[in-house]
Amino acid sequence: MANRDSLTELNATIKHADSYQEYKEACQEHDELSGAEEWKAKDACKEYDYRLIRKRVQRIKLARSRGDALGLMSILHEGIHGNLGNIANSAIKNHSKIGTKYLIQEFIDQVCESLDFIYHADESEIDFYEKLSFFDETAHAFGKSCLMLSGGAGLGFFHGGVVKSLTEHDLLPDVVSGASAGSIIASLIATRTNEELKEALEPQNIYEKFSNWRIWQGFGRNSLMDSTNLENALIELFDLMTFEEAFHKTGRHVTVTVSPSDLHQYSRLLNAKTSPNAIITQAVRASCAIPLVFSPVQLKAKQADGKIVPYIPNRRFADGSLMADMPFKQLARLYGVNHSIVSQTNPLAVPFLSRDKTDTRGMTALTWRHLSNIAKLNSIYAFDVLEGVTSHKGAKLGLHKLRSIIDQQYVGDINILPKRGFASLKHIFANPSLRSIEKLIASAERATWPQIDRIKRDTQISKTFSKYLKLLKAREQRVLTQHNGLRLVGSTKSA
């Protein structure tokens, strides 16, 4: 009885913790008391292939004990990936409040220590370019994580708390996308260093910029709301910075999604790769252009001489969440991501989403998943039929947008969501108060805490790959620069 009362008290502490440290300590104490620590210590578990992982750990340890860097490269080359033996199975998380099987954590730690060993290996055994090739190829094969920030109008300030928490724990991915309201926070990530980002995400600073983002201007115009204040806030935040300039400043691959305002066009992902000279301010303004609420926008670009010109002339773009709220497939193609962290505030999606991708093997879960897929396919078919028989251009465009909303995937591998209920919905089209922003960001940080340990574990190997690959490429660049400089000096002397 006393044990049960203690667990109840710990659950209350976990729910109402004022800091991540308090939350973490309560979770650890809960695991000790509930027996979860004993579960973690036992390798065997039906949710993952513990024999495979145990064997891999033994092989890695043996190679390291022999100082065999080439052997380690071979072991890691064999097919290491983020879900080897199903170690990323979300069902494993259900057995404890924090942490995972000790064997799984040992495997991850051994891989990271092996990467450290290979990087520092004597170059008489493994030369520089062998190391560079190994890290480049294996990192690409392993993949990386991305953060996707959804639409959600005023509720989108929730993303600020998520990003703040990830930044404080050094877990912010280098690949980020933002749609609609999410594009504002994504662009702050693109254009700010970590310290600048933390400052920009302070509730007072957000309030000063967006306290009056919604100005009603009534019917009979090209939009229900005047976008002047929103545009001024975006100009103040991002000025005329392009995606390429932002990448050179922070090294982050940040994408803003926009949707076409006419038929026969597809959503566009604007970033340093696809549209380096596009101006971020206009991209964000377009992505925030909720149909009827704000007018669509023509994108702008900066030429080499600094002149501002139209980007994709004769086209206007609108709300990015309509067609590409979660552009995972496109990000996978552009940046090699295979793991996603989603901050989801889209009011069309949040009420129906689970916090995690779950293993739906039970009969009831399988049935519901099957029925929902049938409903989705039937809805898409119905909209295709209606669009085909509709001749009115505006109605056809509206049907096309509705179809794209239904056809999207709104979840990732890890999902961070605001609390369900009307209390969250009130933020959507309201001008915020300082208090409401403080509460929204605090609730987002609290919603992120249960995922911190898992994100750290899921990204530990890819972050280690990234760390050493950056060091090797920087060294290669220095060697090439030095070599070209010597060659230039030699040419001058010859002349």
Side-chain angles (χ1 to χ4, degrees):
M1 186 68 178
N3 191 51
R4 185 182 301 173
D5 289 343
S6 297
L7 288 174
T8 300
E9 289 177 13
L10 285 168
N11 280 327
T13 302
I14 290 168
K15 184 177 181 181
H16 301 292
D18 291 324
S19 68
Y20 178 70
Q21 188 60 33
E22 182 184 356
Y23 169 87
K24 181 180 177 181
E25 289 173 358
C27 286
Q28 290 171 333
E29 192 174 344
H30 191 287
D31 283 353
E32 287 280 359
L33 202 58
S34 68
E37 286 299 323
E38 295 176 15
W39 172 85
K40 294 176 193 176
K42 295 176 182 176
D43 293 351
C45 179
K46 66 180 181 180
E47 272 98 11
Y48 78 112
D49 190 343
Y50 66 92
R51 293 182 181 87
L52 171 66
I53 300 303
R54 188 160 57 196
K55 185 67 175 177
R56 195 60 62 94
V57 168
Q58 290 169 350
R59 291 180 63 197
I60 291 173
K61 282 183 172 180
L62 181 60
R64 286 184 60 204
S65 68
R66 293 173 173 172
D68 185 3
L70 286 170
L72 284 172
M73 289 169 64
S74 177
I75 293 168
L76 298 185
H77 249 317
E78 279 180 7
I80 182 174
H81 56 83
N83 198 23
L84 183 70
N86 211 23
I87 61 173
N89 184 354
S90 60
I92 297 174
K93 182 177 178 289
N94 299 331
H95 293 277
S96 62
K97 290 292 184 182
I98 198 166
T100 188
K101 287 283 189 182
Y102 294 158
L103 177 62
I104 292 175
Q105 187 61 59
E106 184 182 14
F107 167 71
I108 293 169
D109 291 340
Q110 286 291 332
V111 170
C112 293
E113 289 169 18
S114 296
L115 293 175
D116 180 78
F117 187 89
I118 293 166
Y119 174 79
H120 289 102
D122 193 317
E123 293 191 357
S124 63
E125 180 185 357
I126 305 173
D127 71 31
F128 170 77
Y129 283 101
E130 279 184 286
K131 290 181 183 180
L132 179 59
S133 177
F134 164 78
F135 276 95
D136 199 8
E137 292 173 7
T138 316
H140 181 75
F142 184 83
K144 63 182 75 169
S145 296
C146 67
L147 172 66
M148 296 188 287
L149 309 176
S150 76
L155 191 55
F157 295 123
F158 176 90
H159 300 315
V162 174
V163 171
K164 183 170 179 281
S165 188
L166 293 177
T167 304
E168 287 171 349
H169 290 89
D170 192 28
L171 294 174
L172 189 63
D174 288 336
V175 179
V176 180
S177 75
S180 195
S183 70
I184 298 174
I185 306 300
S187 295
L188 285 174
I189 296 170
T191 57
R192 266 69 176 172
T193 64
N194 279 357
E195 290 307 312
E196 291 171 341
L197 185 58
K198 290 175 188 176
E199 183 180 349
L201 293 175
E202 285 298 318
Q204 181 66 44
N205 291 329
I206 293 176
Y207 175 71
E208 288 174 0
K209 299 291 189 301
F210 297 100
S211 59
N212 201 26
W213 70 273
R214 181 185 71 92
I215 306 174
W216 178 261
Q217 66 177 3
F219 298 97
R221 307 203 181 185
N222 60 354
S223 64
L224 297 175
M225 295 185 188
D226 183 348
S227 63
T228 301
N229 281 2
L230 175 62
E231 289 172 356
N232 288 340
L234 297 178
I235 291 169
E236 189 175 344
L237 285 172
F238 310 119
D239 196 24
L240 297 176
M241 186 176 285
T242 66
F243 284 96
E244 185 175 53
E245 290 168 344
F247 175 74
H248 287 319
K249 177 179 179 179
T250 65
R252 292 175 176 137
H253 303 282
V254 176
T255 289
V256 169
T257 65
V258 296
S259 300
S261 62
D262 53 5
L263 282 168
H264 312 303
Q265 295 291 318
Y266 296 95
S267 61
R268 286 184 178 268
L269 271 61
L270 305 173
N271 53 55
K273 278 193 174 185
T274 63
S275 46
N277 299 322
I279 292 174
I280 291 174
T281 296
Q282 291 302 106
V284 175
R285 169 63 182 86
S287 193
C288 291
I290 306 166
L292 301 179
V293 178
F294 289 125
S295 58
V297 174
Q298 184 182 67
L299 301 174
K300 298 291 179 64
K302 186 193 295 184
Q303 292 182 331
D305 60 2
K307 184 179 179 182
I308 307 303
V309 297
Y311 183 76
I312 314 177
N314 305 320
R315 295 287 180 196
R316 291 184 178 274
F317 293 87
D319 194 336
S321 65
L322 287 177
M323 299 181 75
D325 200 43
M326 300 282 114
F328 181 75
K329 289 183 179 178
Q330 297 96 315
L331 294 179
R333 186 174 64 249
L334 283 168
Y335 300 112
V337 300
N338 56 6
H339 178 266
S340 57
I341 304 161
V342 169
S343 178
Q344 179 56 266
T345 60
N346 193 317
L348 298 172
V350 167
F352 310 103
L353 299 182
S354 169
R355 261 61 181 171
D356 296 293
K357 280 185 177 178
T358 53
D359 188 10
T360 53
R361 293 181 183 177
M363 187 57 68
T364 302
L366 283 170
T367 301
W368 276 112
R369 186 175 68 175
H370 181 64
L371 290 174
S372 64
N373 284 338
I374 290 174
K376 180 176 179 177
L377 289 171
N378 286 342
S379 299
I380 292 169
Y381 171 73
F383 276 107
D384 284 342
V385 170
L386 287 171
E387 191 178 329
V389 299
T390 301
S391 57
H392 187 274
K393 185 178 178 181
K396 188 184 284 284
L397 179 61
L399 289 168
H400 185 70
K401 300 297 186 189
L402 287 171
R403 180 199 186 282
S404 69
I405 290 171
I406 295 171
D407 196 25
Q408 291 188 59
Q409 177 75 25
Y410 290 98
V411 296
D413 294 288
I414 296 174
N415 302 296
I416 303 169
L417 314 178
K419 291 181 180 178
R420 293 188 177 96
F422 294 108
S424 292
L425 296 178
K426 69 183 180 183
H427 295 286
I428 293 175
F429 286 115
N431 281 325
S433 65
L434 177 58
R435 179 61 182 151
S436 71
I437 291 177
E438 288 174 341
K439 289 178 69 175
L440 199 56
I441 287 180
S443 70
E445 289 183 88
R446 190 168 284 109
T448 308
W449 293 343
Q451 305 294 357
I452 289 293
D453 180 71
R454 185 176 169 196
I455 293 170
K456 189 176 295 183
R457 187 165 55 252
D458 287 357
T459 60
Q460 186 177 337
I461 294 175
S462 63
K463 284 175 70 69
T464 306
F465 267 122
S466 179
K467 169 188 169 183
Y468 288 125
L469 188 56
K470 284 179 180 176
L471 289 172
L472 287 166
K473 288 192 171 180
R475 182 177 162 194
E476 181 189 35
Q477 187 60 45
R478 288 195 300 271
V479 170
L480 290 174
T481 302
Q482 184 180 18
H483 177 73
N484 289 336
L486 289 172
R487 187 170 59 181
L488 183 61
V489 170
S491 299
T492 305
K493 287 180 177 179
S494 298

